[in-house]
């Protein structure tokens, strides 16, 4: 038995109008998902029903479609309408286009979305976030006697191998997790190695330690770390805290704060005469 005999046009029209019995509807759907010719017949009837329905005429109530029918209607209705319009060209030509797959639900068309969010320009703070390695003074009052692991780590630091220094200092921190000197140089090494998140974590622990010889520098480099992350607002707050300490970095913190604030507001200040630490 041919498709035309098994599923005549009258049956397909009733399907499109939602008038088939549940049994016949399922049989037709199971068939046309496997038969390109019948699938095309159904699409054409759906398109004609949608385009030629008289304005204001109530449509026949339809049975709620199955998920496969819903996918077909959602994915192919627009394409079918376009096919009907193109077939009515003045020169009598017939447009051709890609067919939907013979089996499986068609892709759902893009759904409308809400109003587009305004584009916020990205501000580049990379020049203001740049740092140079603070000097290490092994014999100063800052540093007491350290184990060989710390000495080896700082050897990497002074040689400029900051990634290796950060890893070695993290290993030392497992033995002395609250040491502000180790935390400070571990945080700075992380920044110099391009890991601002790790730098923030370690430098914040220096700040939590309170009034140590590293407090002012830790806050200053925290500001730099936040600039590396693009968080200018937090960087400004850290710079204000550096200024409030009235220490050696007050002047350079004020200059950097002015430059960050100007950059955030859309202006640009001239480059400083000397590079910041």
């Amino acid at each position: 038995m041919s498709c035309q005999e098994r599923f005549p046009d009258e049956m397909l029209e009733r399907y499109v109008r939602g008038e088939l019995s549940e049994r016949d509807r399922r049989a037709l759907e199971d068939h046309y998902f496997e038969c390109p010719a019948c699938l095309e017949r159904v699409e054409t009837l759906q398109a004609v029903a949608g385009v030629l329905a008289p304005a204001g005429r109530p449509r026949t109530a339809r049975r709620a479609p199955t998920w496969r029918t819903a996918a077909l209607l959602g994915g192919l209705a627009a394409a079918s309408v376009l096919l009907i319009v193109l077939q009515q060209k003045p020169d009598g030509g017939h447009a051709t286009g890609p067919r939907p797959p013979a089996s499986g639900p068609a892709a759902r068309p893009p759904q409308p979305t809400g109003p587009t969010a305004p584009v916020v320009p990205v501000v580049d703070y990379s020049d203001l976030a740049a740092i140079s390695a603070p000097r290490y003074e092994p014999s100063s009052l800052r540093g007491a006697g350290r184990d060989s692991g710390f000495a080896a780590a700082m050897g990497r630091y002074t040689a400029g191998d900051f990634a290796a220094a950060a890893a070695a200092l993290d290993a030392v921190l497992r033995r002395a997790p609250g040491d502000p000197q180790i935390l400070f140089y571990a945080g700075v090494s992380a920044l110099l190695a391009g890991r601002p998140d790790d730098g923030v974590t370690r430098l914040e622990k220096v700040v939590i330690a309170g009034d140590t010889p590293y407090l002012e520098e830790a806050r200053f480099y925290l500001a730099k770390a936040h600039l590396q992350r693009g968080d200018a607002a937090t960087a400004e707050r850290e710079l204000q805290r550096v200024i409030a300490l009235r220490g050696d970095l007050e002047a350079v913190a004020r200059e950097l704060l002015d430059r960050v604030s100007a950059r955030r507001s859309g202006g640009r200040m001239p480059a400083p005469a000397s590079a910041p630490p």
Side-chain angles (χ1 to χ4, degrees):
M1 181 182 295
S2 68
C3 293
Q4 185 70 37
E5 293 172 333
R6 184 180 176 189
F7 301 106
D9 290 342
E10 185 272 337
M11 182 177 182
L12 267 59
E13 292 172 1
R14 290 175 58 208
Y15 170 77
V16 170
R17 295 196 300 268
E19 297 173 357
L20 282 186
S21 67
E22 183 73 14
R23 178 181 176 181
D24 289 344
R25 179 179 59 80
R26 288 186 179 275
L28 175 59
E29 288 179 351
D30 289 340
H31 171 75
Y32 73 59
F33 272 100
E34 301 294 335
C35 178
C38 288
L39 177 61
E40 186 173 2
R41 292 169 63 202
V42 170
E43 294 168 14
T44 302
L45 290 171
Q46 289 170 337
V48 171
V51 173
L52 302 182
R57 175 181 176 181
R59 300 196 177 194
T60 305
R62 294 189 55 184
R63 185 188 308 270
T66 63
W67 69 269
R68 293 194 303 175
T69 307
L72 177 67
L73 293 174
L76 300 178
S80 300
V81 172
L82 179 61
L83 177 63
I84 295 297
V85 173
L86 293 178
Q87 285 177 336
Q88 299 173 355
K89 297 191 298 183
D91 60 2
H94 294 279
T96 60
R99 278 188 185 179
S103 62
R108 186 178 298 275
Q111 300 299 311
T113 58
T116 304
V119 177
V120 179
V122 177
V123 181
D124 182 10
Y125 298 100
S126 57
D127 56 325
L128 303 182
I131 66 172
S132 56
R135 183 179 177 183
Y136 169 56
E137 302 173 355
S139 61
S140 69
L141 293 177
R142 285 172 152 191
R146 299 293 180 190
D147 60 25
S148 58
F150 178 77
M154 295 312 295
R156 297 291 185 93
Y157 177 89
T158 55
D161 189 354
F162 301 112
L169 288 167
D170 283 347
V172 177
L173 281 171
R174 287 193 283 270
R175 299 191 294 272
D179 189 298
Q181 183 183 39
I182 303 173
L183 284 167
F184 174 76
Y185 283 107
V188 171
S189 296
L191 296 185
L192 290 165
R195 292 160 39 203
D197 291 345
D198 291 338
V200 168
T201 299
R202 287 147 185 76
L203 292 171
E204 283 181 342
K205 290 180 180 179
V206 179
V207 173
I208 292 172
D211 188 14
T212 69
Y214 296 92
L215 178 60
E216 183 186 30
E217 285 179 285
R219 285 205 177 279
F220 183 81
Y221 284 102
L222 258 178
K224 291 281 191 173
H226 288 301
L227 287 175
Q228 287 187 15
R229 300 164 79 182
D231 187 355
T234 304
E236 286 180 333
R237 289 194 292 270
E238 286 298 338
L239 290 170
Q240 291 165 353
R241 290 167 181 144
V242 174
I243 294 168
L245 293 173
R246 299 289 188 264
D248 295 337
L249 295 177
E250 178 182 359
V252 70
R254 286 186 184 278
E255 181 179 23
L256 181 58
L257 177 60
D258 290 342
R259 291 173 59 77
V260 172
S261 299
R263 186 75 55 88
R264 286 188 72 199
S265 63
R268 296 183 69 92
M269 297 182 65
S274 58

